[in-house]
Every structure is written in structure tokens, then in C-alpha cells.
Amino acid sequence: MSSWSPEKLLPEYVRTFESYIPSKPDQELAKLYGCSRIFRLNNNENALGPPPAAQEILKMFDPRRVSNYPSGDSYYLRRKLAEKYGKDPDQFLVGNGANEVIGFVIKAFCEKGNDIITADKTFAVYEWIAKFSGIETRLVPLKDFTFDDDAILRNISSNTKVIFICNPNNPTGTYWSSKKLERFLQKIDKRTVVVVDEAYHEFVEQDDYPDGMSFIDRYPNLVVFRTFSKMYGLAGLRIGYLVGNLKTVEVIRKTCIVYSVNVMAQEAALAAIDDDEHVTRTCRLVRNGKTFLTSELRILGLPYRCGEGNYVMIKLPMNDSLAYRRLMTAGVMVRSMTGFRFPNYIRVTIAHDEAMRALVAALSDIL
């Protein structure tokens, strides 16, 4: 009898793809690195947690309800989003985190021989999903740490179906202004789908930062992503959504997996969405945290990139994986950035004062 070799059955684009290995649970990492507690500064989570109304939903949740399937299309949440943003409920698709809606778009528009375009140093999931779906990814280098609109336009071919723009960009914090986004959409002239990922939209306080949703009526090929993981502190429940023109969303819905968003996520998001005070408190914490951290980094002589979003990227005079391990011994977990194609950089989430001070002390010790 021959031996079982699943690799023989894999498409080449899956065989050559390297699996993403998530980090171990915090308790295991604490034991591994010998620290009594861990400051999680690696995933851009909200240090304030979910808004109070969402926390109340979770506390009061009747566990017997998990025996029933959730609303298959997040019925009430889509209506709430439509009411808040002045759209039709059918312009929204809710997914199990923004990662899932990335897959919806690629599966809807791309087939073998097509390509997507994005930047070389941005949120990697656009590239990953395309690659293990057998779709070519054309990576355009950042220019001055920002998506290069002219270079993206030059890279469009007859096979390009989707362009992914991360605005503001994770991890550099740079962003396209309203004028730049509009000029880009005009030049695209409906040749491709343009996705603007606004995962960190609520953190941006610049006047010229665009609300992508306001462009949808004029540009039916535009799709906007948002998430409840960052500002609304619901990362553990996995819920995000896309919004676009009715016809565009109608075709994306063909690849949408129903029932993938659990009932607790839907109800917590429904409670969170109207809490503007939570947004104000979070932005204040991030603003103050950036002021403190950048001041300390200048004292330490460390170059950094501090733009929009709740994170800062720091350049170190050492290997970032080594820095990660040494910072972990002090209970400070950061994101090493070689995987983002930024070797010797780390990205840190802006959090409470105690965590920021622990980071600065740990950085001081390892330099």
C-alpha cells in the first residue's frame, strides 16, 4: 500500500505558501519568558476594551442562546449601519472579521490569470488570500512610507481586478487625503474594483482624511472595509464589514459565507456602534500615549514612524526578532516587523500609561 502524501494533491500555489504561525496564548508565553504579566502591544487592540454598552451585552448574554444559529446575514446590524451612515442595508456585508470580507471580494472578482495590486509594506492579508487562492499579487513599493498612487496606476494591466489601499496604512500610519483618493478613483475610471481598507478610520483626526463611504455614490467600483476589532474593542469576537454600491455588493454577496458571524459579535457590535464617547476617550488615550512615547524615543535616540492609527513603528539597532524575545522577558509583547518587510523595526500599540512606561523601560534595558 502506498503512503499518504497530501502534498501531491495540493495546487502549486498552496504547496509553496508558508503557513502563518500565531503566537502562543499569553499564559504560555508568560511561562516561556518567565514574566508575571504581559503588556499586549502587538496587535493594535484597544486598551479601553469594548464600549460599556457592548460590555453589558456580553455580561447579560443568555448562554442557552448559543444553541441557535445566529442571523445569517447580520440582519439588524446591517440596518443599524445603514441608519448611521445613510445607506441601504443591502449595501453592507458583515463578515467574521475584515479578513473574511477580503476573501469575499477576491473570490467574487478574481480567477486564474487575474491579479490584484497592493503595496509591498502593508497589511499582509490581501496578499496572503490572493496567493493561496492562486491569484497573482502585484506589490508596488511604498513611496515615502505611503501608497504610491502613480506607480499603482502604472502597474494596472488588463488582468487586474482589485486594488487594495490601506488608509491609513498599517503599519506606517500614512494616509491618502480626500483629494488624492478622488484623483485616484477618477484615473481608475471604473477599470477595476478599488478597496479602501479603513480599519483605523475612527482613530484619524486629520481634517483632510477622507470618509471612504462618501465616495461610493460617485464611484460604484469603490468598496470600503471597516472593523469592530480596533476602535470598538471586539477583536476577540471577530466582526467586520464591507460597504459599497448596491450592484457591486450584490455580486460580492455570491461569495459571502452566511452564518459565519456569531450572535454575540452581532449584538455587541450593534450596541457599540453609537458610542461616540468611547471613540473620544480612545482617541484621547492614543493622542496622549503618542506624545509620551515619541518624547521618550527621542531621548533614547530611536527613529520612529508616528502617523495615524493607534500604533507607532520604531527602528532598532538590532534584529527585530531578537528585540521581541528580549522585550518579552520584561513582559512587553510587540510586533516584530520583518514579516511586514521592515527588518529591524517593531510596531507597538499605544495603550495605557503603565504599558507605555513598561515599554520605554524595557527598550532602555535592551539598547
Side-chain angles (χ1 to χ4, degrees), residues 40 45 49-51 53-59 61 66 70 74 77 94-100 227-230 232-241 259-272:
R40 294 176 57 88
E45 295 154 342
Q55 293 189 31
E56 196 61 24
I57 290 288
L58 299 177
K59 287 177 191 170
F61 188 82
V66 300
S74 302
L77 179 58
V94 181
N96 187 263
N99 287 356
E100 189 177 53
T227 179
F228 289 94
S229 296
K230 305 303 181 185
Y232 295 105
L234 298 177
L237 294 179
R238 310 305 298 128
I239 182 165
Y241 63 94
Y259 298 108
S260 67
V261 183
N262 70 73
V263 62
M264 292 179 72
Q266 292 184 35
E267 295 192 7
L270 197 57

Side-chain angles (χ1 to χ4, degrees), residues 167 173-182 198 201 204-212 214-215 308:
N167 203 41
T174 53
Y175 69 96
W176 280 6
S177 68
S178 292
K179 284 183 180 177
K180 188 168 184 176
L181 176 61
E182 176 125 43
E198 298 183 341
H201 171 86
V204 183
E205 298 183 290
Q206 303 298 325
D207 292 338
D208 61 347
Y209 174 73
D211 173 356
S214 68
F215 291 82
E308 303 308 312

Side-chain angles (χ1 to χ4, degrees), residues 87 90-92 216 220 222-224 242-246 248-249:
K87 306 288 183 193
D90 286 341
Q91 290 184 259
F92 293 85
I216 287 172
L222 172 65
V223 175
V224 174
L242 63 78
V243 53
N245 170 273
L246 269 176
T248 305
V249 174

